[in-house]
Amino acid sequence: PDPQLVTGRDMQRASFLEAAKYVLRVRTNIFLIGATACGYYFLAGVQTFGTEFMKGQYRIDQAEAKLLLLAVGGGAILGVLFGGRIGDALLHRGRLNGRIFVAVVGAAGATLLFFPALITHSAFSALPYLVVAALFLTRQTPAVAASQLDIMPPSLWGRAESVRTLLRSLAMALAPLLFGAFSDVIGLQWTFVLMLVPLGASAWLLFEARRTYPQDVATAAAVAEGSGYSRTGSHEHW
């Protein structure tokens, strides 16, 4: 455990400001917040401009664009369903960074797979890339969510999620504005290509998180024990 973060006081009694300061001192949490903000930033842009992009890029009508988005949504659902399961399986097999590994592969895979889909003008050619990219993009979501619980004492779960949600929401709020501003200058296609940069940055942040994750999980378990909480759930493995 990190001795600077192990405290003998019950964090349940800490004020929201004190809790927020503690949450933002956990290094893995900073990496995860940054990674999820970048990922949700790209996703918010897709949700806002995805239909318009598909109509212009692939020369299809509104109905066909909706069907294409429906197929992409199917890939996203599969990613959510299997992402958490794979991370748990790796953890149970002794891979301490199993959940982080799933998230890294998801973010990196999505970045690489979206690129060919964004530069082609054929909806038929783009479809498999878009579906699998959506699967990779969302497979990291449950793995990251579970990791965020692992690195926080149970008495801080609620307030830690409040801080993460606030910062993530700010990124999502900026996405439509920036997507629209860039598309006026360089066009919607190259805007989406450019916005792969923050998606790639999320993969790098998750990769960095694997270095600090084990110690921060051990720290969370130590703080939980010191506060009188039982070591339940994923903390049992540590």
Side-chain angles (χ1 to χ4, degrees), residues 115-129:
F115 183 75
L118 295 177
I119 62 175
T120 183
H121 290 283
S122 169
F124 181 78
S125 299
L127 179 59
Y129 288 107

Side-chain angles (χ1 to χ4, degrees), residues 10 53 56 79 81 101 103 106 108 116 121 124 127 129 131 133 136 142 145 150 161 168 174 180 203 215:
D10 184 0
F53 169 81
L81 292 176
F101 177 76
H121 290 283
F124 181 78
L127 179 59
Y129 288 107
V131 172
F136 272 82
D150 290 342
E161 185 58 32
R168 187 175 62 210
L174 286 173
Q215 184 181 39

Side-chain angles (χ1 to χ4, degrees), residues 157-208:
W157 281 351
R159 285 166 290 179
E161 185 58 32
S162 296
V163 174
R164 286 191 292 263
T165 301
L166 173 63
L167 297 176
R168 187 175 62 210
S169 299
L170 291 175
M172 293 182 68
L174 286 173
L177 176 63
L178 293 179
F179 264 77
F182 277 103
S183 65
D184 287 342
V185 178
I186 61 176
L188 196 54
Q189 177 192 9
W190 292 109
T191 297
F192 270 95
V193 173
L194 179 63
M195 295 309 170
L196 287 177
V197 174
L199 190 58
S202 72
W204 176 79
L205 289 168
L206 290 167
F207 184 78
E208 290 297 309

Side-chain angles (χ1 to χ4, degrees), residues 52-69:
E52 291 302 317
F53 169 81
M54 290 179 179
K55 287 165 59 179
Q57 181 72 10
Y58 306 136
R59 300 180 180 88
I60 56 180
D61 59 28
Q62 182 81 8
E64 292 171 325
K66 293 288 186 182
L67 288 175
L68 191 57
L69 279 177

Side-chain angles (χ1 to χ4, degrees), residues 142-163:
V144 169
S147 299
Q148 289 171 330
L149 293 178
D150 290 342
I151 61 173
M152 284 295 154
S155 58
L156 285 176
W157 281 351
R159 285 166 290 179
E161 185 58 32
S162 296
V163 174

